Amino acid sequence: MARWSAKSLAKPDVGSLLIDRGTIRYAPARMAEEKDTLTVTDNRTGKTYELPVTNGTISAMDLRQIKVSDDDFGVMSYDPAYKNTASTKSKITFIDGDKGILRYRGYPIEQLAEKSSFLEVAHLLYNGELPTKDELEKFQHSITHHTMVHENIRELVDAFRYDAHPMGMLVSTIGALSTFYPDAKKIDSKENRQLQFHRLVAKLPTIAAYAFRHRRGLPYVYPDNDLSYSGNFLNMLFKMTEVKYTPNPVIEKALDVLFILHADHEQNCSTSAMRSVGSSHVDAYSAMAAACAALYGPLHGGANEAVVRMLEEIGSVSNIGDYVQKAKGGEVRLMGFGHRVYKNYDPRAKVIKKMAYQVFDEVGKNPLIDIALELEKIALDDEYFVKRSLYPNVDFYSGLIYQSMGLPMDLFPVLFAIGRAPGWVSQWNEMLEDDEQKIARPRQVYLGAGQRDYVPMSER
Ligand code: CMC
């Protein structure tokens, strides 16, 4: 049976968990009984507890009954960076990091990238099913008719410095949208949430294109309803004096596929931010501004930009050896390598690598690809990277494609955000429909000073 959780959580035979003077250890599987429970013996008290195991997980709250005395708070699990904590049940995206599998609503990413469109995938993520022809037409129509933004948003983008990072502009502008749509506060209404989903998916390319043109001092281009989602985005980015912009079909398709590949990735940093901030019941725009801010970081959505900067810094194939040594010595990280979940080749990177050549055939080869290919080869053969299961991730090749399309590096994370928008809103919607969810509020282990008396300034 397909499970919703990461494979590492889906172990049918986990043995017993023993708490031994503050140390938790697994007892051999032979001790496990033929039922879905975990027997915990607290060696501090000698007491034994039987905890239910559901979907390969124990409930952290079940640990609280394990106490040394009545006034003891009870055992908590300690998991900085949520390395082994499932924060939600979800039916949206399945990842098996060991095997390199990614599926949206059960559909393999490779099939969706080859056969569907970004809007079809957006509909799938939010609603759970691929749209019928009629549903897709209605959805496309609605997205097309929500692409415009209020003129004050245009003025807001204008107010940024000439060299403002487009991601900074995107974060602020998405947050500002909440003031234009105060009705978005009605998060209890299913219809209202659906409307915000349409607005956000529709308006992100418009804002992104405004940010791009602001940097170049070019007049803003309004959406063209005759064009596809990615075709219209290219129009808003690149239209100059021509009456009608005609997108290059290869670039249009490549952009659409890149958006599909980025559309969701279960509980990553930005999605967790969207869910966590959204759990306070703030509107979708404010929650998405937080998600976008999380994506801005170089360890997350900023990595595609960092990869191209790294390849430029390496400069030539002959310098790769030295750079790899620096990475092994901990001086630098190989950007676009490694992933918290994938301990195998990222399936998205495989699709992107193939697509890169289609784009290069159209617009000319990006010279950095030779450095990238050689770097990949050397790293995949090197014991340091093999031992740590560090493979190229989605960002390793995507930046090279964007660069070949004529897009500047600091726009790359913005493109990631456009692709991820349907995933963020779908996860936010799922969280709000989930009766088990409450406002996110992790615990801490306090290790600071005990109570002490205030010391007057003269005595310090
Ligand atoms: N280059 C060199 N060494 C690395 C790298 C790397 N890119 N990534 C991890 N390591 C090493 C790390 O030094 C550590 O070694 P040791 O065990 O000797 O201390 C080991 O591998 C485990 O690393 P970690 O930092 O504990 O792994 P993590 O799961 O916390 O980090 C990551 C995941 C993606 C943040 C990290 O691999 C990284 O910084 N990669 C480069 C940035 C990048 O490409 N990010 C994009 C991620 S994919 C897009 C997305 O989903 O956002």
Side-chain angles (χ1 to χ4, degrees), residues 194-253:
Q194 179 107 15
L195 174 61
Q196 311 320 323
F197 168 58
H198 288 212
R199 281 180 178 154
L200 275 161
V201 171
K203 290 181 202 308
L204 242 63
T206 314
I207 297 171
Y210 279 11
F212 169 77
R213 296 192 63 113
H214 174 70
R215 293 284 302 271
R216 305 213 153 178
L218 290 168
Y220 304 121
V221 175
Y222 290 109
D224 180 342
N225 284 3
D226 293 342
L227 298 174
S228 72
Y229 187 83
S230 48
N232 173 50
F233 181 46
L234 288 167
N235 159 65
M236 293 188 292
L237 288 172
F238 295 125
K239 184 170 185 283
M240 297 305 271
T241 52
E242 64 270 44
V243 177
K244 180 99 181 151
Y245 178 84
T246 312
N248 175 321
V250 175
I251 306 291
E252 184 181 2
K253 174 70 185 157

Side-chain angles (χ1 to χ4, degrees), residues 133-202:
K133 190 167 175 288
D134 187 43
E135 283 168 342
L136 184 61
E137 272 167 22
K138 283 196 182 123
F139 184 54
Q140 264 165 344
H141 183 271
S142 174
I143 296 298
T144 309
H145 288 83
H146 278 108
T147 46
M148 299 282 279
V149 292
H150 194 288
E151 283 294 281
N152 288 4
I153 288 284
R154 198 176 52 77
E155 287 168 23
L156 182 69
V157 175
D158 256 344
F160 283 100
R161 261 179 65 127
Y162 68 95
D163 60 351
H165 195 291
M167 201 60 181
M169 292 194 249
L170 189 73
V171 170
S172 325
T173 313
I174 293 176
L177 281 180
S178 74
T179 66
F180 290 83
Y181 301 111
D183 61 314
K185 287 186 172 50
K186 292 185 217 146
I187 53 127
D188 289 333
S189 155
K190 196 176 167 69
E191 291 71 38
N192 195 282
R193 291 199 301 274
Q194 179 107 15
L195 174 61
Q196 311 320 323
F197 168 58
H198 288 212
R199 281 180 178 154
L200 275 161
V201 171

Side-chain angles (χ1 to χ4, degrees), residues 293-351:
L295 191 72
Y296 197 172
L299 297 188
H300 192 8
N304 49 17
E305 179 180 346
V307 170
V308 178
R309 289 193 197 283
M310 174 189 76
L311 295 174
E312 284 182 350
E313 190 190 329
I314 295 174
S316 88
V317 171
S318 60
N319 296 332
I320 294 176
D322 286 349
Y323 203 85
V324 168
Q325 284 310 318
K326 277 199 214 165
K328 287 162 68 173
E331 254 181 89
V332 292
R333 280 204 163 196
L334 281 197
M335 299 315 285
F337 262 78
H339 199 277
R340 173 63 59 77
V341 179
Y342 292 119
K343 300 303 167 199
N344 199 326
Y345 213 101
D346 182 337
R348 302 167 298 174
K350 272 190 199 151
V351 178

Side-chain angles (χ1 to χ4, degrees), residues 395-411:
D395 291 316
F396 192 64
Y397 289 105
S398 61
L400 294 182
I401 302 183
Y402 294 141
Q403 198 182 40
S404 300
M405 289 176 178
L407 296 166
M409 273 185 262
D410 47 18
L411 200 73

